[in-house]
Amino acid sequence: MAKPLVSDALWAVIEPLLPPEPPKPKGGRPRLSDRAALTGILFVLRSGTPWELLPQEMGCGSGMTCWRRLRDWQQAGVWHKLQQVLLDRLGRRNAIDFSRAALDSAAVAAKKGGAATGPNPTDRGKAGSKRHVLTDANGIPLALSLTGANVHDSRMLEPLVDAVPPIRQSWGPPRKRPTKLHADKAYDHRRCRQALSQRHIQPRIARRGVESSAKLGRHRWVVERTLAWYGQFRRLAIRYERRADIHTAFLTLASALITWRFVQRWFC
């Protein structure tokens, strides 16, 4: 028997975060259940299947119904709330390692253009987007941002560091600042080091023309692994969504699913 895309444990976490269902109109079709819609959304995210080709035998309704549910839940902040809940679970078990954090980005082609796209300098100027990710020392995604592919990595250091939410701890107040931040030579700018120092974060940024590349990945490999995990979701390998909010919804949901793996490791 195939393993369901939405397990009972995962659904128990997501269901309380969903907005209440609207009142049922008299007559007409019955409303598709939220769990069935979520199954369709996860199927598209993992397989990369176009919405209009969503298999009817899965019982997920039409692809447009699932798309609308994804859009509405993104507007309601469901995916961000889900990520926050999972991070708090890990934080209460001291499973998030704030001793070090790592920051990096990856560019993907944007076939249909749209907001948050730009000419990719590494892909002959074709339209693309760039996802910026900050993780803890274990590779757990703490913050995520979407920009055009022509936005320099160093410009997103401050917004990404500030985007880390306060995460509950087993004792003491919530925490959002790592002790150290590791980044590659793209962030080797004075303003980046000053921004980290102002936030009481020790910068561990590779220096251009000074440090050898042999030891640069000693602590940064975790964020590169996390970026590779995003690539395993086929819908994210290439950006197909013209709307930036829909692509961001997929990215945030993927972050929550990656974090969910760590939750299962600690709680199961």
Side-chain angles (χ1 to χ4, degrees), residues 37-38 71 90 100 112 146 148-149 157-158 176 189 208 222 229 238 241-242 253 256 268:
L38 180 60
R71 176 202 60 191
L90 292 173
R100 300 179 188 273
K112 298 182 180 180
L146 179 69
L157 183 142
E158 292 183 64
K176 61 177 297 182
H189 295 273
R208 292 189 296 267
V222 292
W229 285 339
I238 297 176
E241 287 72 31
R242 186 182 298 274
L253 177 56
C268 298

Side-chain angles (χ1 to χ4, degrees), residues 216-230:
L216 294 181
R218 182 178 179 184
H219 299 291
R220 289 191 296 104
W221 67 271
V222 292
V223 67
E224 296 175 358
R225 181 186 63 178
T226 301
L227 287 170
W229 285 339
Y230 283 101

Side-chain angles (χ1 to χ4, degrees), residues 110 112-118 128-129 146-148 239 241-245 247:
K112 298 182 180 180
T117 63
S129 294
L146 179 69
T147 67
R239 176 178 168 179
E241 287 72 31
R242 186 182 298 274
R243 293 179 50 167
D245 60 331
H247 190 69

Side-chain angles (χ1 to χ4, degrees), residues 178-191:
T179 303
K180 302 175 183 178
L181 179 65
H182 293 263
D184 59 22
K185 297 179 181 181
Y187 303 88
D188 184 20
H189 295 273
R190 179 178 298 177
R191 68 174 183 275

Side-chain angles (χ1 to χ4, degrees), residues 19-256:
E21 295 186 7
K24 297 181 179 179
K26 295 182 179 180
R29 296 180 180 179
R31 186 175 186 270
L32 181 70
S33 69
D34 288 340
R35 185 163 184 172
L38 180 60
T39 299
I41 292 170
L42 291 183
F43 182 81
V44 171
L45 174 61
R46 293 184 182 276
S47 67
T49 302
W51 291 107
E52 60 272 16
L53 298 182
L54 189 65
Q56 294 297 313
E57 57 269 20
M58 294 183 61
C60 302
S62 67
M64 185 52 62
T65 299
C66 296
W67 182 91
R68 285 194 295 264
R69 209 68 64 88
L70 174 69
R71 176 202 60 191
D72 295 342
W73 290 343
Q74 169 69 7
Q75 293 175 353
V78 171
W79 314 125
H80 289 282
K81 294 176 184 176
L82 174 61
Q83 176 70 348
Q84 180 70 63
V85 168
L86 298 177
L87 289 176
D88 285 339
R89 281 196 179 188
L90 292 173
R92 285 192 291 265
R93 287 288 187 95
N94 291 330
I96 297 180
D97 189 350
F98 278 103
S99 64
R100 300 179 188 273
L103 174 63
D104 207 348
S105 68
V108 295
K111 295 294 186 180
K112 298 182 180 180
T117 63
N120 188 347
T122 64
D123 191 19
R124 296 176 292 175
K126 295 181 180 179
S129 294
K130 186 181 290 185
R131 61 184 68 127
H132 307 260
V133 179
L134 187 148
T135 71
D136 77 332
N138 298 315
I140 301 173
L142 303 180
L144 174 73
S145 180
L146 179 69
T147 67
N150 57 333
V151 175
H152 198 273
D153 291 355
S154 63
R155 296 292 180 183
M156 296 306 300
L157 183 142
E158 292 183 64
L160 212 58
V161 170
D162 293 338
V164 177
I167 301 173
R168 295 181 181 179
Q169 304 294 295
S170 59
W171 57 275
R175 183 172 179 178
K176 61 177 297 182
R177 299 285 193 227
T179 303
K180 302 175 183 178
L181 179 65
H182 293 263
D184 59 22
K185 297 179 181 181
Y187 303 88
D188 184 20
H189 295 273
R190 179 178 298 177
R191 68 174 183 275
C192 293
R193 299 179 188 276
Q194 290 178 346
L196 293 177
S197 298
Q198 292 171 359
R199 291 164 175 78
H200 307 288
I201 301 174
Q202 298 179 25
R204 291 292 184 267
I205 301 174
R207 292 172 292 178
R208 292 189 296 267
V210 177
E211 298 185 48
S212 170
S213 301
K215 297 182 180 180
L216 294 181
R218 182 178 179 184
H219 299 291
R220 289 191 296 104
W221 67 271
V222 292
V223 67
E224 296 175 358
R225 181 186 63 178
T226 301
L227 287 170
W229 285 339
Y230 283 101
Q232 292 178 353
F233 297 95
R234 294 193 173 185
R235 191 71 181 190
L236 301 179
I238 297 176
R239 176 178 168 179
Y240 295 98
E241 287 72 31
R242 186 182 298 274
R243 293 179 50 167
D245 60 331
I246 300 299
H247 190 69
T248 302
F250 274 133
L251 284 173
T252 310
L253 177 56
S255 298

Side-chain angles (χ1 to χ4, degrees), residues 4-17 35 38 42 46 79 82 86 89 253 256-257 259-261 263-264:
L5 289 175
V6 184
S7 64
D8 292 339
L10 180 60
W11 178 245
V13 179
I14 297 178
E15 185 179 17
L17 306 177
R35 185 163 184 172
L38 180 60
L42 291 183
R46 293 184 182 276
W79 314 125
L82 174 61
L86 298 177
R89 281 196 179 188
L253 177 56
L257 295 177
T259 307
W260 175 247
R261 298 174 189 172
V263 172
Q264 290 179 305

